[in-house]
């Protein structure tokens, strides 16, 4: 066995993450992370580090299937979907110990050691499991099982190899050639607080520094100490978990300033706190709502008033999971029906919706109504040819006004319409389901166990007729499908890949629809634009968007997160703030400062 392996197994012992044998150098108060164990204060995990669960936002399997897992029960103070007034009081989130997502772990390591993507290609993690909301940062799901622990240890060893290389060691540990306790202390003081997102205690530092003496006693050099200290620091629960536990205060738990700094930074940038935010935390200047909002503003906006790239990337990551866009890259369509739906078109559809979201949210500071009714999209040369409109000469996306009767806004995006469809036709159920669960926050119950499949397309029937044959005629189906299919019928003039059509075979298309059971009653409409305009008038739509954004920010299911940002939700509903500024307003929520037992 190599000397370094002997040192590690002999001196560090059993990892709290279960990745190695022996006793890792953590203080007695270290945060637990035993494989499969539930961290104290956290809600129970449901996935011990297995493969990612499929996200369901793009819609159910035919006919009208929904994920088996249902969200948590609504928090106190939450009224049923469709209520004009959604939150009666602000709700405070529970104490949790949140495992970092794969992206957050990678960002934390890169920041701590200053590693770019050339120097370190990144970890080889298994995908984070998705919640019933489709989010991969849900605190219930992010547990540490054997495989997750193993991959974290492997990442630590990969980074340790780089850190101790001839080119990186002098940069990261300038005193390495001298070694000794002083240099070991310098190394721990340099990277430890960046990984832990807080200063190390004197006992923690001493245990890491003592490792250098033990390594030396076993015949190892200072480089060996840096290697194993790097592995131990990366696999420490203090690195892998975000503490949102707080300290007892007046019957609740007040988050420490460093916990607040971490919560803010990961929420609004996807990475660890920058030095300026760490300084505010160390100076205890994150105690009030004004303090936290001011800190959040610096994470969201650059000094010149422009939105920071890290914040924009985080919002787009939220939108991707909220709308279930990830499967688009791998979707298959029947080539006999959609002959020109090519990989180039799929890539272009991804680019289109990213450009559209960026244009509405960031460039135009759009509100929910703008997201739903924007009369423009973005096309490149591939999409201009595919759609048959817009002027674009190359791969870059340019803004294009949508032609009349081609729909508007989010629900007319090619990516959305392609995903919420069958492989050889449209799917009124999937499209209606998407609107119901992602825009109206209606919980659609699962279908009966035995449901006849939708008939295959033929020249003798329209899609509407095929769906009504089962979903209206069958008693067990019509109740739920009355909430979904009539919404999807209104989008029937946009085909299964988002292109306009006026006929389906020999038949004229009936695109009349109904938005049933809303806060404004049943709303009849015709066509995609009228659907968008109707949705834009409903207060529950902005409430629903706020619920999902809060869920993503706090790592909860959207029903539990519904009233965590009450004032921001009300301002969004009343059209006082943009979607981007809702994120900023969220920083004032009590849950960024206080937690319930």
């Amino acid at each position: 066995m190599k000397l370094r392996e002997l040192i590690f197994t002999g001196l560090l012992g059993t990892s709290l993450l279960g990745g190695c044998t022996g006793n890792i150098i953590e203080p007695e108060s270290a945060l637990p992370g035993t494989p499969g164990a539930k961290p104290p204060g956290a809600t129970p995990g449901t996935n011990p580090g297995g493969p990612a669960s499929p996200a369901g936002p793009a819609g159910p399997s035919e006919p009208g299937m929904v994920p088996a897992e249902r969200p948590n029960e609504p928090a106190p103070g939450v009224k049923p979907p469709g209520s004009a007034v959604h939150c009666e009081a602000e709700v405070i989130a529970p104490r949790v110990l949140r495992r970092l997502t794969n992206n957050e772990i990678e960002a934390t390591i890169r920041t701590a050691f200053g590693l770019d993507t050339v120097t370190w290609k990144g970890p080889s993690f298994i995908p984070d499991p998705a919640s019933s909301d489709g989010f991969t940062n849900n605190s219930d799901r992010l547990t540490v099982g054997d495989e997750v622990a193993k991959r974290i240890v492997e990442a630590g060893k990969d980074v340790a190899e780089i850190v101790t290389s001839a080119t990186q060691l002098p940069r990261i540990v300038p005193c390495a050639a001298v070694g000794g306790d002083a240099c070991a202390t310098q190394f721990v003081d340099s990277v430890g607080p960046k990984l832990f997102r807080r200063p190390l205690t004197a006992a923690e530092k001493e245990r890491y520094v003592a490792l250098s003496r033990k390594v030396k006693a076993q015949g190892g050099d200072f480089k060996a100490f840096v290697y194993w200290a790097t592995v131990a620091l990366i696999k420490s629960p203090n690195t892998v978990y975000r503490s949102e536990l707080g300290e007892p205060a007046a019957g609740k738990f007040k988050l420490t300033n460093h916990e607040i700094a971490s919560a803010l930074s990961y929420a609004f940038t996807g990475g660890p706190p920058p030095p300026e935010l760490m300084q505010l935390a160390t100076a205890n200047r994150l105690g009030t709502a004004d303090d936290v909002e001011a800190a959040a503003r610096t994470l969201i906006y650059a000094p010149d008033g422009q939105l920071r790239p890290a914040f924009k990337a985080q919002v787009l990551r939220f939108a991707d999971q909220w709308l279930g866009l990830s499967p688009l890259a791998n979707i298959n369509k029947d080539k006999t029906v959609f002959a020109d739906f090519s990989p180039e078109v799929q890539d272009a559809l991804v680019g289109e919706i990213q450009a559209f979201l960026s244009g509405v949210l960031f460039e135009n500071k759009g509100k929910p109504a703008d997201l739903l009714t924007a009369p423009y999209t973005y096309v490149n040369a591939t999409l201009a040819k595919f759609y048959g409109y817009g002027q674009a000469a190359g791969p870059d996306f340019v803004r294009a006004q949508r032609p009349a009767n081609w729909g508007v806004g989010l629900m007319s995006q090619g990516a959305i319409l392609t995903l919420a469809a069958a492989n050889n036709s449209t799917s009124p159920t999937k499209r209606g389901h998407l609107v119901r669960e992602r825009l109206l926050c209606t919980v659609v119950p699962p279908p009966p166990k035995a449901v006849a499949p939708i008939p295959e397309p033929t020249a003798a029937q329209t899609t509407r007729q095929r769906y009504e044959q089962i979903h209206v005629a069958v008693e067990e189906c019509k109740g739920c499908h009355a909430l979904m299919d009539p919404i999807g019928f209104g989008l029937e003039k946009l085909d299964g890949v988002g292109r306009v059509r006026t006929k389906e075979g020999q038949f004229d298309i009936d695109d009349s629809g109904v938005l049933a059971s809303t806060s404004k009653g049943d709303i009849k409409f015709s066509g995609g634009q009228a659907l968008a305009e109707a949705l834009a008038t409903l207060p529950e739509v902005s409430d629903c968007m706020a619920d999902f954004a809060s869920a993503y920010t706090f790592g909860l299911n959207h029903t539990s997160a519904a009233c965590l940002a009450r004032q921001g939700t009300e301002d969004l509903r009343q059209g006082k703030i943009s979607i981007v500024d809702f994120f900023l307003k969220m920083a004032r929520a009590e849950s960024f400062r206080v937690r319930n037992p």
Side-chain angles (χ1 to χ4, degrees):
M1 184 181 290
K2 294 181 181 179
L3 174 62
R4 62 173 52 177
E5 298 291 343
L6 286 169
I7 292 171
F8 190 57
T9 55
L11 298 179
L12 299 189
T14 302
S15 164
L16 292 173
L17 294 178
C20 302
T21 58
N23 180 28
I24 195 169
I25 50 169
E26 294 293 340
E28 292 181 1
S29 60
L31 305 179
T34 307
K38 177 175 75 69
T43 48
T46 56
N47 186 307
S53 302
S61 302
E62 295 290 359
M65 295 293 291
V66 294
E69 177 193 354
R70 304 313 313 164
N72 296 341
E73 290 299 316
V78 180
K79 289 188 175 182
S83 300
V85 179
H86 199 74
C87 296
E88 297 173 340
E90 182 157 310
V91 173
I92 299 176
R95 303 169 73 214
V96 291
L97 203 56
R98 296 174 62 178
R99 196 258 284 174
L100 298 186
T101 67
N102 293 343
N103 288 336
E104 290 168 346
I105 293 175
E106 180 176 348
T108 302
I109 294 172
R110 288 193 186 283
T111 299
F113 295 99
L115 302 177
D116 58 28
T117 54
V118 175
T119 306
W120 180 45
K121 296 186 183 301
S124 177
F125 291 149
I126 60 175
D128 288 326
S131 70
S132 59
D133 286 338
F135 296 146
T136 57
N137 66 347
N138 186 283
S139 59
D140 281 357
R141 291 300 192 93
L142 290 174
T143 57
V144 177
D146 290 341
E147 187 60 29
V148 170
K150 175 185 174 183
R151 299 294 182 96
I152 292 172
V153 172
E154 289 173 352
K157 290 182 177 181
D158 289 343
V159 172
E161 289 284 358
I162 295 169
V163 167
T164 56
S165 67
T167 56
Q168 295 296 322
L169 186 60
R171 177 185 67 82
I172 297 171
V173 195
C175 59
V178 178
D181 283 7
C183 189
T185 300
Q186 182 177 323
F187 172 68
V188 174
D189 282 341
S190 173
V191 302
K194 296 175 185 176
L195 290 170
F196 288 10
R197 288 88 63 191
R198 62 167 176 78
L200 275 67
T201 66
E204 287 172 330
K205 286 197 287 188
E206 172 53 30
R207 294 187 71 180
Y208 279 101
V209 172
L211 173 63
S212 67
R213 304 181 202 120
K214 294 179 181 179
V215 169
K216 185 176 181 179
Q218 291 284 333
D221 56 13
F222 193 79
K223 178 179 174 180
F225 156 71
V226 172
Y227 180 97
W228 289 116
T230 296
V231 176
L233 284 163
I234 287 175
K235 71 202 287 281
S236 166
N238 293 287
T239 295
V240 175
Y241 285 102
R242 289 167 53 180
S243 171
E244 295 174 7
L245 299 176
E247 299 170 342
K252 299 189 184 299
F253 287 82
K254 184 178 180 180
L255 297 184
T256 69
N257 272 238
H258 285 98
E259 286 177 322
I260 294 170
S262 283
L264 284 175
S265 192
Y266 285 116
F268 299 129
T269 74
E276 299 79 10
L277 187 53
M278 288 287 282
Q279 290 168 9
L280 289 176
T282 300
N284 292 318
R285 292 174 57 189
L286 295 174
T288 69
D290 288 342
D291 291 340
V292 176
E293 182 183 11
R297 187 176 293 277
T298 65
L299 295 172
I300 294 172
Y301 290 97
D304 63 0
Q306 298 298 308
L307 292 170
R308 293 186 185 273
F311 170 73
K312 292 196 286 188
Q314 186 74 343
V315 172
L316 290 178
R317 191 176 296 119
F318 153 71
D320 177 272
Q321 297 188 5
W322 168 47
L323 298 170
L325 301 176
S326 295
L328 184 60
N330 299 316
I331 201 163
N332 293 311
K333 292 289 181 178
D334 188 330
K335 292 298 183 182
T336 63
V337 180
F338 304 111
D340 50 355
F341 187 77
S342 64
E344 291 75 21
V345 169
Q346 286 176 263
D347 291 342
L349 291 175
V350 173
E352 177 192 17
I353 195 162
Q354 289 178 341
F356 173 77
L357 291 169
S358 296
V360 174
L361 300 180
F362 308 143
E363 295 174 23
N364 296 332
K365 286 293 192 71
K367 300 173 182 178
D370 299 314
L371 186 62
L372 293 166
T373 63
Y376 55 84
T377 189
Y378 293 78
V379 299
N380 62 1
T382 298
L383 277 189
K385 179 181 178 182
F386 184 72
Y387 286 149
Y389 70 84
Q391 299 294 321
D396 294 336
F397 285 84
V398 297
R399 181 163 157 165
Q401 202 73 7
R402 300 186 72 93
N405 302 316
W406 202 298
V408 293
L410 183 68
M411 284 307 299
S412 294
Q413 281 288 299
I416 297 285
L417 295 166
T418 297
L419 284 164
N423 75 323
N424 59 357
S425 67
T426 61
S427 171
T429 296
K430 286 187 176 182
R431 291 175 177 182
H433 184 273
L434 177 64
V435 170
R436 274 289 162 197
E437 289 216 328
R438 298 290 136 171
L439 297 180
L440 295 170
C441 284
T442 305
V443 178
V444 181
K449 292 183 178 180
V451 180
I454 297 294
E456 286 295 313
T458 70
Q461 286 181 307
T462 65
T463 298
R464 185 176 191 128
Q465 290 170 330
R466 290 189 296 116
Y467 276 71
E468 288 179 337
Q469 179 179 328
I470 298 295
H471 293 167
V472 174
V474 178
E475 187 67 29
E476 293 84 353
C477 298
K478 66 181 183 181
C480 289
H481 283 279
L483 295 175
M484 299 181 290
D485 293 13
I487 297 174
F489 290 150
L491 294 168
E492 272 298 280
K493 286 187 177 178
L494 294 169
D495 72 8
V497 292
R499 293 179 300 189
V500 74
R501 60 181 184 170
T502 57
K503 286 183 174 289
E504 186 175 3
Q506 60 181 318
F507 300 105
D508 292 332
I509 292 175
D510 177 5
D511 65 350
S512 61
V514 180
L515 263 171
S517 301
T518 76
S519 61
K520 296 186 177 182
D522 292 352
I523 302 173
K524 295 181 179 181
F525 66 93
S526 294
Q529 181 168 341
L531 169 62
E533 291 169 350
L535 288 168
T537 69
L538 297 175
E540 57 263 40
V541 171
S542 60
D543 286 356
C544 187
M545 290 184 189
D547 292 352
F548 275 108
S550 298
Y552 187 79
T553 297
F554 290 102
L556 302 171
N557 289 329
H558 76 273
T559 48
S560 300
C563 293
L564 296 181
R566 179 174 176 267
Q567 188 58 57
T569 300
E570 290 186 3
D571 288 348
L572 191 68
R573 183 194 311 132
Q574 295 170 18
K576 294 180 179 179
I577 59 175
S578 68
I579 293 173
V580 161
D581 284 331
F582 171 76
F583 281 88
L584 178 59
K585 197 85 171 183
M586 239 194 305
R588 298 188 67 85
E590 283 190 84
S591 296
F592 268 114
R593 292 171 284 116
V594 180
R595 293 303 174 94
N596 272 328

